[in-house]
Amino acid sequence: MNGLIIKDLITLEKQKISTIAGLLFTTIAFLIFWQSTGALLLGAVVLPFLTIFTPFTFRASDEQWKWDTYAISLPVSKKQIVASRYLSCSIISIAYFLFSLALNIGVYFWFQDHSITLHLASAFIGLGVSLLFGFLILPTSFTKGLEVSVWVLVILAIIFIGVVVIIKKANFDIFSLSPTPSQITLLMGLSVATLIGIFIGSYLVSVAMYRKLHS
Amino acid sequence: MGNILEIENLSKKYPDFTLDSLSFSIPQGTIMGMIGENGAGKTTTINLILNEMRKDGGSIKIFGKDHLEYEKAVKERIGVVFDDFHFPDLFNANEMELFLKGIYATWQPKTYRDYLNRFGLPLDKQIKAFSKGMKVKLSFAVALSHQPQLLILDEATSGLDPVMRDEMLDILLEFIQDEKNGVLFSSHITDDLEKITDYITFIHKGKLLFSKTKDELLYHYGLIKCGAETFNQIEKADIIAYRKQDYEWQVLVADKEEARRKYRKCIIDSVTISEIMLLHVKGEKK
Amino acid sequence: MEIIISNKSSKPIYEQITLQIKAMIMNGLLETGDMLPSMRALAKSLHISVITAQRAYEDLQRDGFIETVTGRGSFVAIQNRNFILEEQQKKAEEHLQEAVEIGRANGISVEKLIELLTLFYLKED
């Protein structure tokens, strides 16, 4: 199964220059325009948005070289093929998260505008969003091909923007919130639990669909 | 000597195609040629062996083990070369190895390097820049570098020029120098099959027509060529298949020598694999 | 050692091999105890199937030209009268074949041919 992840990582490595350049450019631009708030935005919104393209990159590469046909000859189970894809995507999400974490901590010490809690929350929310999108997209990206998955992505993006707009309309000022530690713990607990639930559901659906495709 | 592959009553039903209780086996140390028209069921058979699709019935044993129960262990020992190329364009031969090393427990870096050298394949050039022939050679190198015992070729030599095809035949014959190994060679290029295969399995419309040693087909089967009058005298039991051409009748018989004794007025030729295939597919049965 | 195979010949490939190896043994090109290539190596060199090579070796062994020792390989067997006898018999067969063909082509009956053969054979005595 290591080989499957190595394959995905080599695939991504092929676009490392454009990825890193894009990442640096976006980061610098956000920091110049919004300073410390830029880091919060990057962590919670922009970086997760960048990671959700990962499943597409993998899928596009797979389709280009007819991976599914070749994979049947390899000593790996269908479950492992599906699981490895979840792992690869999670590794990328975590890599972006580590970058975001470092950035937010750095920005906190540099600007000291927002509390460290907010900066850390930005990074963690980003990780959560990134994983959430990954889990929602992966089942379709496995079985329905690239085109359908792009549509799923578009729908998800619309929902996401919708939520943001509603929050905005409600005149909700996130910076004025001062939740108690117990509220934060509860919120974190709930988020993690939801995420795990979605992961399990997503994985089971992916395995079932991938198996059905090859039956 | 046991069988490297044993297929018994293999069945698979599709809305528009049925593979109907197919049985054949490949003894160790031999090459099995699998022939049949496009859509006859060759690729379906290979896909069922590899469990790409679930079989509806029958059993498949590889190295004496059930192919589902021991799927992973069995696949460790199978090398497959597909008809069109199945590796990522942007990878190079080196990166292919990084990936496959993590897949096969028995991956042999030295074997892989030796094949690359022998085939003149660069390690660091993107596969995108490879010619069709180089890609097929890389497929062979990859398929042979994890000590496989069963090699499955799905139309693997079809796109190659005669010189390269010959080189690949060398590779196959080298592979079965080890008596524990075996090859399933699906191809419509009957020339290649005629040279090196030990057995021929003929699948037609999802059914097994025969699975015999190639020598029996080439040296025992015969093709009677005669006029209508003589054709009517040929015993029904002797006819495997026949067809009428513009100026002659062609009749496929199982025993050339016997036919020569029985029907002295006729011309009785030896047959080629492609003639046998053609008569079965295009001809009629009496 | 040279073995030349024709794919166009009406003679089966295993027969072409046995004939040529027999000829080499009869002509002394291969001597008693000489080792032959393994069945598989021969198949590989000639680009023929293993079963064809196996058939050739089996026939050679059956006719007493070679001996196969498991794990060691195949060797030219001790020559004795039987070989030569058989070889001569082959020659005779060829001539008889020719006679039969002439007979068939010209309507000479098989009885007549047998009669002639018996006559020729006994006249020597």
Side-chain angles (χ1 to χ4, degrees), chain B residues 7-11 19-24 45 203 207-208:
Chain B
I7 295 182
E8 245 173 78
N9 301 321
L10 181 64
S11 306
L19 193 71
D20 194 5
S21 71
L22 187 74
S23 301
F24 70 90
T45 306
I203 302 175
K207 278 194 172 127
L208 177 80

Side-chain angles (χ1 to χ4, degrees), chain B residues 1-266:
Chain B
M1 268 199 308
N3 289 326
I4 200 128
L5 174 70
E6 233 174 280
I7 295 182
E8 245 173 78
N9 301 321
L10 181 64
S11 306
K12 176 79 185 173
K13 250 197 176 76
Y14 289 107
D16 51 347
F17 174 79
T18 305
L19 193 71
D20 194 5
S21 71
L22 187 74
S23 301
F24 70 90
S25 50
I26 308 178
Q28 285 187 335
T30 63
I31 302 179
M32 168 70 76
M34 183 157 67
I35 59 171
E37 295 162 279
N38 287 331
K42 289 175 293 173
T43 299
T44 304
T45 306
I46 289 173
N47 283 340
L48 290 173
I49 294 171
L50 294 172
N51 191 29
E52 201 263 339
M53 294 168 296
R54 287 213 164 265
K55 59 183 189 232
D56 291 337
S59 80
I60 299 176
K61 278 187 185 154
I62 307 174
F63 322 126
K65 289 176 175 155
D66 183 81
H67 77 138
L68 295 183
E69 204 176 324
Y70 297 92
E71 183 168 358
K72 256 182 97 171
V74 158
K75 282 185 178 175
E76 276 279 352
R77 291 252 174 268
I78 300 181
V80 186
V81 182
F82 290 98
D83 54 345
D84 47 3
F85 188 71
H86 285 96
F87 297 127
D89 264 3
L90 296 177
F91 282 38
N92 58 34
N94 206 10
E95 287 160 342
M96 280 309 298
E97 180 173 32
L98 283 179
F99 150 47
L100 289 161
K101 239 192 231 169
I103 298 276
Y104 290 107
T106 50
W107 183 263
Q108 305 290 308
K110 192 180 172 303
T111 311
Y112 184 61
R113 294 301 147 107
D114 287 349
Y115 277 118
L116 293 185
N117 280 336
R118 177 171 171 185
F119 295 152
L121 298 173
L123 262 176
D124 50 359
K125 213 166 153 189
Q126 284 191 345
I127 292 170
K128 196 164 62 175
F130 281 22
S131 68
K132 163 88 185 166
M134 287 165 86
K135 286 178 178 178
V136 177
K137 284 176 174 175
L138 181 63
S139 296
F140 270 91
V142 162
L144 288 166
S145 294
H146 60 278
Q147 300 181 318
Q149 276 178 267
L150 171 63
L151 199 57
I152 298 179
L153 312 177
D154 189 3
E155 299 284 355
T157 53
S158 305
L160 297 180
D161 65 47
V163 178
M164 279 186 198
R165 289 219 312 270
D166 202 58
E167 228 178 304
M168 292 309 113
L169 298 190
D170 257 333
I171 297 283
L172 294 185
L173 286 165
E174 230 164 75
F175 178 68
I176 54 153
Q177 294 299 303
D178 186 338
E179 283 175 44
K180 289 193 297 295
N181 297 344
V183 180
L184 177 61
F185 187 172
S186 160
S187 178
H188 63 256
I189 301 180
T190 51
D191 239 25
D192 291 347
L193 298 173
E194 224 154 274
K195 277 191 199 142
I196 62 160
T197 55
D198 297 295
Y199 299 90
I200 299 278
T201 291
F202 186 0
I203 302 175
H204 183 48
K205 289 183 181 161
K207 278 194 172 127
L208 177 80
L209 277 188
F210 57 74
S211 186
K212 289 179 189 275
T213 68
K214 180 197 68 191
D215 286 2
E216 183 179 347
L217 295 169
L218 291 186
Y219 303 137
H220 292 185
Y221 273 46
L223 195 62
I224 302 182
K225 293 176 176 171
C226 59
E229 197 187 320
T230 331
F231 173 73
N232 288 326
Q233 290 164 11
I234 298 176
E235 283 170 38
K236 206 173 156 182
D238 290 337
I239 299 175
I240 296 174
Y242 71 92
R243 69 172 182 162
K244 193 191 173 315
Q245 298 292 77
D246 285 344
Y247 302 109
E248 63 179 16
W249 292 77
Q250 295 183 347
V251 183
L252 187 66
V253 292
D255 192 335
K256 185 167 62 187
E257 296 306 322
E258 193 197 308
R260 280 197 176 129
R261 279 193 296 275
K262 265 181 159 169
Y263 312 112
R264 292 196 172 167
K265 280 186 198 154
C266 305

Side-chain angles (χ1 to χ4, degrees), chain A residues 22-100:
Chain A
L23 194 61
L24 286 181
F25 177 79
T26 321
T27 308
I28 291 167
F30 268 72
L31 289 182
I32 289 174
F33 282 113
W34 289 292
Q35 287 92 39
S36 57
T37 313
L40 295 177
L41 282 171
L42 272 168
V45 182
V46 180
L47 294 180
F49 184 71
L50 293 179
T51 63
I52 59 180
F53 291 106
T54 326
F56 298 111
T57 310
F58 292 147
R59 191 63 223 169
S61 164
D62 284 356
E63 282 184 11
Q64 175 256 324
W65 63 288
K66 297 177 194 157
W67 154 252
D68 283 340
T69 318
Y70 182 61
I72 61 161
S73 72
L74 302 175
V76 289
S77 66
K78 286 163 188 143
K79 228 185 204 164
Q80 280 179 316
I81 290 175
V82 172
S84 75
R85 189 47 55 84
Y86 276 80
L87 260 168
S88 303
C89 286
S90 302
I91 288 173
I92 300 306
S93 290
I94 287 166
Y96 272 80
F97 163 70
L98 290 176
F99 173 77
S100 164

Side-chain angles (χ1 to χ4, degrees), chain C residues 10-11 25 35 63 71 73 84-85 87 116 119:
Chain C
S10 64
K11 273 203 183 87
I25 293 173
M35 197 170 144
D63 298 348
I84 298 145
L85 194 70
E87 215 47 33
L116 284 169
L119 200 69

